[in-house]
Amino acid sequence: MLDGSIMWQKAVNGSLLRAFLVLILMAATAIAEDQPAEKPADKPTDEPAAEAAEAEKPAPQEQPKTATVERGLLRITLDLDGTFVAQTSEEIVVRPEEWTSSGGFIIDRVARHGARVKRGDVLIQFDTTRIDRAIEDLEADLQINQLSLQQSEQSLRALEEFTPIDLEANQRTAQQMEEDKRFYFDHQRPFNLRVIEFNLQSSKNRLEYAEEELRQLERMYEEDDLIEETEAIVLKRARNSVEAARMSLASAQMSHDQAMEFTLPRNDEIMRESARRTRLRTQRTAVTLPLTLERQKLDVEKLHQQRLRSEERLKKLQADREAMTVTSPLDGIVYYGRAVRGRFSDSVTQAESLSPFSTVQPNRALMTVVQPQPLSIVVSVSEEHLHRMRSGLSGSAVPKAYPNMKLPVTMRRISPIPTAPGQFEGEFRVPRGEQSDKMVPGMTCKIETVPYTKRNALTIPPDAVMTDPQTDETYVWLVDEDGKPQRREVKVGEKTDKQAEILEGLARGDKVLLEAPKDEK
């Protein structure tokens, strides 16, 4: 034990190498284990030494994870939730042309949900009490209208008397307007242009005067001939003032000529016409009462037109009366409500309202008659998978009701616009057969498609593919023969959760890092 202690002291005092210290510690531990148990005082000395030696051990370096480029099958599958829909169906909507009822239409009897019907079978029979009463009232109004067609046409002669006067006044107004127009373009407009030009020139002159006065005032303290130049300025102003006065006189003269030639004669004519109209109105009043019967002829014509409209309304009401018995337009199955992408989501609500003595509103789909065959399958495709969808894509459908059944299906179309945020509607064809005949519209299924398959694809884990945020280029960290990582740009094809297809940049057997080196992070 003394030899071991001496060696321990020398190792500590001499600061031996870490590896040698570990060997000494192991030897000391072995010696300690050989000593009797009655020396517990040695344990406190050995335990700190062991902890110190353990702390001095170098931590093992974590090796970066790598993956090997492999060549094999790349298969992308896509599972879709589908709903069987009928390719032929007809919504049942009551669209009356004339009949409106604030309380809605009352049902007498109605076909049950899921009933199989033939073309012409009664689907809904509405109560006709109110529409029958409306038809009777309209027929009575037509009889009263026929008795009321006895009105006068005397007001027509009054119109015939006033029409020439009105035409003459209209012609005179047009003639006066033409005179105004000719005067405007021949005289007023050119004069207005002169006034405008004159006003502009006057403004320019005033500016010139102001500028000239400023210059003269500035030179007043420098030159000796101030009096002569100032006199020239005053004369120039006076001449311009005379020119302005002449223009104002011309304007006043033109206004005078217009008033004498047109304004006063027109006012005289207006006065004479007003007097004439007053006289005619007086005469018309004198003949108003005798012409009452004649005026009624106009009312007769009006009532005649009303009768034609009432007869047309009666025909529409009678057609609406026939529509109160709703029949099936085709052979099929009755579904309550309206199909929205194959689902009758409101069938439960409609079942509550489609019952005898209940009331429904017009112009809304009450039920749908669908032919059970042939069928299609409607699916909702997420926007991220839209690029994989194409017409003719095959797959298999497993009905939820028959999990052991597989129906071959083929994509018929995909909607070009979203039917919901981030969702597009697709449709698959379902071939007729013994198995598909068991399906009915509204049943659901799972469709499995394989939009992409490549048997000899180069693949790596998707985590190994990185993207440069500045250039958007994809790259990997390729491990070379010396074990050092090198950045390598690659071209990536299709991806799954576990595989990323490499089109360019790598070869089979290459090793790549699954994450960037620490000095590159």
Side-chain angles (χ1 to χ4, degrees), residues 295-402:
R295 290 200 306 268
Q296 296 303 317
K297 291 182 179 180
L298 297 176
D299 296 336
V300 169
E301 181 63 23
K302 180 179 179 180
L303 291 174
H304 179 68
Q305 296 297 328
Q306 291 178 349
R307 177 177 177 81
L308 293 178
R309 288 193 292 269
S310 296
E311 290 176 346
E312 183 179 358
R313 181 170 178 263
L314 178 60
K315 292 179 180 179
K316 291 181 178 180
L317 278 178
Q318 291 171 342
D320 292 342
R321 170 62 175 80
E322 294 180 1
M324 294 295 100
T325 302
V326 183
T327 59
S328 177
L330 47 82
D331 299 346
I333 303 175
V334 175
Y335 282 75
Y336 283 180
R338 181 184 182 188
V340 180
R341 289 188 283 278
R343 298 180 181 272
F344 294 86
S345 57
D346 59 343
S347 60
V348 177
T349 304
Q350 290 288 58
E352 296 176 356
S353 60
L354 293 179
S355 59
F357 308 110
S358 62
T359 303
V360 297
Q361 299 299 324
N363 301 315
R364 57 188 297 259
L366 303 177
M367 58 178 60
T368 306
V369 180
V370 299
Q371 288 184 348
Q373 296 294 334
L375 293 175
S376 297
I377 299 177
V378 173
V379 298
S380 183
V381 180
S382 177
E383 188 172 352
E384 60 183 310
H385 300 303
L386 184 63
H387 66 283
R388 296 193 174 101
M389 297 293 100
R390 62 186 182 275
S391 178
L393 178 65
S394 61
S396 59
V398 178
K400 187 174 182 180
Y402 302 96

Side-chain angles (χ1 to χ4, degrees), residues 395-399 402-409 435-436 446 448:
S396 59
V398 178
Y402 302 96
N404 296 325
M405 180 188 299
K406 277 194 175 183
L407 300 174
V409 294
Q435 290 185 326
S436 62
K446 286 281 188 181
E448 179 182 298

Side-chain angles (χ1 to χ4, degrees), residues 1-9 12 21-55:
M1 183 62 188
L2 288 175
D3 294 340
S5 299
I6 291 171
M7 293 179 65
W8 170 256
Q9 292 294 332
V12 173
L21 180 59
V22 173
L23 294 175
I24 296 301
L25 180 60
M26 293 174 61
T29 303
I31 295 174
E33 290 177 352
D34 294 336
Q35 297 300 319
E38 60 271 8
K39 294 183 179 182
D42 294 336
K43 291 183 179 180
T45 304
D46 295 339
E47 290 179 359
E51 293 176 358
E54 187 67 24

Side-chain angles (χ1 to χ4, degrees), residues 82 195 505:
V195 170

Side-chain angles (χ1 to χ4, degrees), residues 358-502:
S358 62
T359 303
V360 297
Q361 299 299 324
N363 301 315
R364 57 188 297 259
L366 303 177
M367 58 178 60
T368 306
V369 180
V370 299
Q371 288 184 348
Q373 296 294 334
L375 293 175
S376 297
I377 299 177
V378 173
V379 298
S380 183
V381 180
S382 177
E383 188 172 352
E384 60 183 310
H385 300 303
L386 184 63
H387 66 283
R388 296 193 174 101
M389 297 293 100
R390 62 186 182 275
S391 178
L393 178 65
S394 61
S396 59
V398 178
K400 187 174 182 180
Y402 302 96
N404 296 325
M405 180 188 299
K406 277 194 175 183
L407 300 174
V409 294
T410 305
M411 174 160 276
R412 179 182 178 186
R413 63 173 182 85
I414 185 75
S415 63
I417 58 176
T419 54
Q423 299 294 320
F424 292 76
E425 183 180 277
E427 182 181 359
F428 284 83
R429 292 189 182 92
V430 181
R432 291 290 302 270
E434 182 179 352
Q435 290 185 326
S436 62
D437 287 346
K438 297 180 181 179
M439 304 296 106
V440 295
M443 296 179 69
T444 59
C445 64
K446 286 281 188 181
I447 295 181
E448 179 182 298
T449 62
V450 184
Y452 186 80
T453 301
K454 192 172 183 179
R455 298 186 178 279
N456 198 24
L458 280 177
T459 61
I460 59 176
D463 294 341
V465 180
M466 303 171 193
T467 303
D468 192 319
Q470 297 180 349
T471 63
D472 288 335
E473 294 181 350
T474 53
Y475 65 92
V476 298
W477 289 101
L478 177 66
V479 181
D480 60 14
E481 296 179 355
D482 298 332
K484 296 181 179 180
Q486 295 181 350
R487 175 168 164 163
R488 172 73 61 83
E489 277 70 25
V490 296
K491 183 178 180 181
V492 181
E494 293 288 344
K495 280 186 178 182
T496 66
D497 294 339
K498 298 181 179 180
Q499 292 176 298
E501 181 184 9
I502 303 300

